[in-house]
Amino acid sequence: MTATIADSTVATVTHWIDNAPFAGSGERTAPVKNPATGAEIGRVALADVDDARAVIAAAAAAFPAWRDTSLAKRVEVLFRFRELLNARKGELAEIITAEHGKVHSDALGEIARGQEVVEVACGMPVLIKGGFTENASTGVDVHSVRQPLGPVGIISPFNFPAMVSMWFFPIAIAAGNTVVVKPSEKDPSATNWIAELWAEAGLPAGVFNVLHGDKVAVDELLTNPAIKGISFVGSTPIAQYVYATGTAAGKRVQALGGAKNHAVVLPDADLDLAADAMVNAGFGAAGERCMAISACVAVGDVADELVAKIVERAKTLTTGDGVKGSNADMGPLITREHCDRVTSYVAAGEAAGATIALDGRTVVAEGDDVADGFWLGPTLIDHVTPEMSVYTDEIFGPVLSVLRVESYEEALGLINSNPFGNGTAIFTNDGGAARRFQNEVEVGMVGINVPIPVPMAYYSFGGWKNSLFGDTHAHGAEGVHFFTRGKVVTSRWLDPSHGGLNLGFPTNS
């Protein structure tokens, strides 16, 4: 449902251009709701084509000067941004909790993981170094450099309003690109807060811009010739669309899609460790994580004991409003429609013959005025089989399915035949089995006795198969390569120049 700005009785989150809010000419808005209460707490502007072009034009205008700004000065701004974010991250966490619903501690964790990429980007002078060959031919030197692409677009999802865009923009900005971020219209305010922080850190106008909207805004980013690269995280169908449309328009595209992450529990595993991990990875952030474990594959005769341990632990979780100071472990789902969709999978699994070992549909949330919130408690479904929709589909909620298999080979076959290949984990005390698994499994990120194998920011994040479209993963070395392009220079100089005398201590400038 959309409305016009003239109809709005609450504050509207606007676009951001040249270090200032930009209302734009578009009249459409969408509601921003607190998922814990169901109340509308704001509206967000939905760009028309002219608005989108204005934001992109600001990024394009700022690019030449930012490209030519020295690495030393670029990194100086990155360091200031890092310090400001460390000092004020509590403010950002409160915004995330209010609009997304995840508990305050989880919001702080999201910011911390995003901050890791900022810290990696502070090392850009090392990451972007080229190579040099002296006297490759007589009197001829050859060197390589990496230069920024230009203005780039970042399209981020609702589930991590800060972290996912932070996978991309620190590297992009440090490498000399300008940025347009299109956040989810469901929880848009975190990105505007970040934009204000960049301005406070001294980032020049037009380097970091925010475009709010729906498909109109996305399509302009994908087709506008001023945008040279697109980074996207979201569902697989949209990732396919973004990749196809962006590449057809001649852009470099990295589009990270959906997931169906499995955790294999072998008979020799520490079942207490495995049960803890299943609860943490299955129900954290209400399961709205692309790295959430949604399929627990119990091998051999461990299933009964493992299921009992998971139920015992999950029953201790408190579901409620996740504001600062609350005792809630898990918050609501993002919208009423999404909550109803996730709940329908539980009913479908039960109708197909699975056993509901723990039913989150009856949860009573804690907090004030939460009766109209979008609640589903931790849900464990046992005796799931591969043809059930609760297994085949990405649910994106606090629903953990248990599949029972007889052997390692059967477990591996389940994972490798799945169309997704984002993350996986194995729980075992057998080093040989773990080593075999990490070699044979067809998934981009693997955990061994680690339930959510999100790599540190100096490694790259991304999956295989239908979980990634494009050849480049996020952040780390691959991220640096995505936001830069190589150039090789061959030179010959007949006579060295003489620069005269200067006894001052040399400095970067």
Side-chain angles (χ1 to χ4, degrees):
M1 177 181 178
T2 62
T4 66
I5 290 177
D7 296 333
S8 178
T9 58
V10 294
T12 299
V13 181
T14 66
H15 316 292
W16 181 272
I17 292 179
D18 291 334
N19 285 351
F22 171 65
S25 59
E27 295 187 346
R28 297 182 305 133
T29 66
V32 179
K33 294 186 177 182
N34 181 338
T37 65
E40 184 175 317
I41 57 176
R43 301 196 73 85
V44 59
L46 299 178
D48 62 18
V49 171
D50 287 340
D51 295 337
R53 289 176 179 171
V55 178
I56 292 168
F63 172 65
W66 185 243
R67 173 199 59 202
D68 294 337
T69 299
S70 71
L71 268 170
K73 289 183 177 178
R74 281 189 234 150
V75 170
E76 183 180 337
V77 176
L78 265 289
F79 272 108
R80 283 200 296 267
F81 178 83
R82 175 190 181 275
E83 293 306 302
L84 287 170
L85 183 56
N86 279 341
R88 296 173 53 192
K89 59 189 175 185
E91 298 174 31
L92 181 56
E94 289 177 5
I95 293 170
I96 293 170
T97 295
E99 292 186 354
H100 174 273
K102 66 179 62 177
V103 299
H104 190 263
S105 60
D106 198 17
L108 285 171
E110 166 182 348
I111 297 164
R113 293 310 301 262
Q115 184 75 306
E116 291 176 9
V117 186
V118 177
E119 292 166 356
V120 168
C122 287
M124 187 56 67
V126 174
L127 299 173
I128 208 170
K129 284 196 306 182
F132 185 89
T133 301
E134 184 180 36
N135 219 33
S137 185
T138 304
V140 175
D141 303 326
V142 181
H143 74 273
S144 65
V145 296
R146 298 205 65 83
Q147 297 181 331
L149 291 181
V152 296
I154 298 167
I155 304 168
S156 62
F158 73 82
N159 59 323
F160 288 99
M163 184 188 73
V164 166
S165 61
M166 291 176 76
W167 284 350
F168 305 110
F169 68 68
I171 301 291
I173 289 171
N177 302 278
T178 55
V179 169
V180 176
V181 179
K182 208 301 286 182
S184 169
E185 59 271 30
K186 296 180 178 68
D187 43 14
S189 298
T191 307
N192 282 49
W193 187 94
I194 290 170
E196 293 182 31
L197 206 70
W198 272 119
E200 187 176 341
L203 191 69
V207 177
F208 185 92
N209 308 276
V210 183
L211 174 65
H212 294 292
D214 49 17
K215 189 174 184 294
V216 174
V218 169
D219 283 349
E220 187 61 32
L221 283 172
L222 295 179
T223 58
N224 191 301
I227 296 294
K228 305 304 180 184
I230 293 287
S231 299
F232 170 86
V233 176
S235 69
T236 286
I238 305 302
Q240 290 174 311
Y241 173 80
V242 166
Y243 183 74
T245 307
T247 54
K251 303 184 191 309
R252 183 178 291 185
V253 179
Q254 52 181 174
L256 282 67
K260 193 69 182 183
N261 302 320
H262 298 68
V264 175
V265 182
L266 294 185
D268 70 320
D270 182 322
L271 294 189
D272 288 314
L273 171 66
D276 288 343
M278 293 307 98
V279 172
N280 295 337
F283 306 133
E288 292 176 328
R289 292 172 173 162
C290 65
M291 292 299 289
I293 294 296
S294 57
C296 174
V297 185
V299 179
D301 60 359
V302 302
D304 287 343
E305 185 179 357
L306 179 61
V307 166
K309 287 178 179 292
I310 294 172
V311 170
E312 177 186 17
R313 287 159 170 76
K315 282 183 175 180
T316 68
L317 298 180
T318 300
T319 302
D321 193 346
V323 296
K324 185 177 181 180
S326 79
N327 294 319
D329 300 299
M330 194 180 89
L333 295 177
I334 187 67
T335 64
R336 172 72 62 197
E337 296 76 15
H338 183 57
C339 186
D340 291 344
R341 175 182 174 274
V342 175
T343 302
S344 72
Y345 278 104
V346 181
E350 189 173 27
T355 304
I356 309 300
L358 182 64
D359 196 339
R361 294 172 290 184
T362 60
V363 71
V364 177
E366 293 189 359
D368 297 327
D369 303 318
V370 297
D372 293 326
F374 315 136
W375 302 105
L376 178 65
T379 300
L380 183 66
I381 307 181
D382 194 8
H383 299 285
V384 172
T385 54
E387 72 279 359
M388 294 180 183
S389 63
V390 72
Y391 172 73
T392 58
D393 297 358
E394 182 182 27
I395 297 175
F396 225 59
V399 179
L400 177 63
S401 299
V402 177
L403 294 91
R404 298 172 178 236
V405 301
E406 293 300 320
S407 65
Y408 164 89
E409 288 75 15
E410 190 178 352
L412 182 71
L414 272 177
I415 300 171
N416 286 351
S417 63
N418 195 277
F420 298 109
N422 203 45
T424 190
I426 188 169
F427 289 83
T428 180
N429 285 314
D430 185 336
R435 192 172 187 278
R436 178 182 174 188
F437 181 78
Q438 71 185 40
N439 179 57
E440 295 178 339
V441 73
E442 296 173 6
V443 170
M445 294 171 284
V446 181
I448 298 173
N449 296 318
V450 174
I452 307 178
V454 177
M456 297 295 290
Y458 40 82
Y459 287 93
S460 297
F461 177 100
W464 291 6
K465 297 186 283 189
N466 282 352
S467 295
L468 176 71
F469 300 89
D471 295 326
T472 310
H473 293 164
H475 57 69
E478 292 188 46
V480 175
H481 265 254
F482 181 81
F483 288 114
T484 59
R485 50 188 174 177
K487 179 181 287 185
V488 179
V489 179
T490 303
S491 59
R492 173 189 287 135
W493 299 104
L494 299 181
D495 212 20
S497 63
H498 183 68
L501 300 176
N502 183 352
L503 303 186
F505 193 84
T507 60
N508 293 321
S509 62

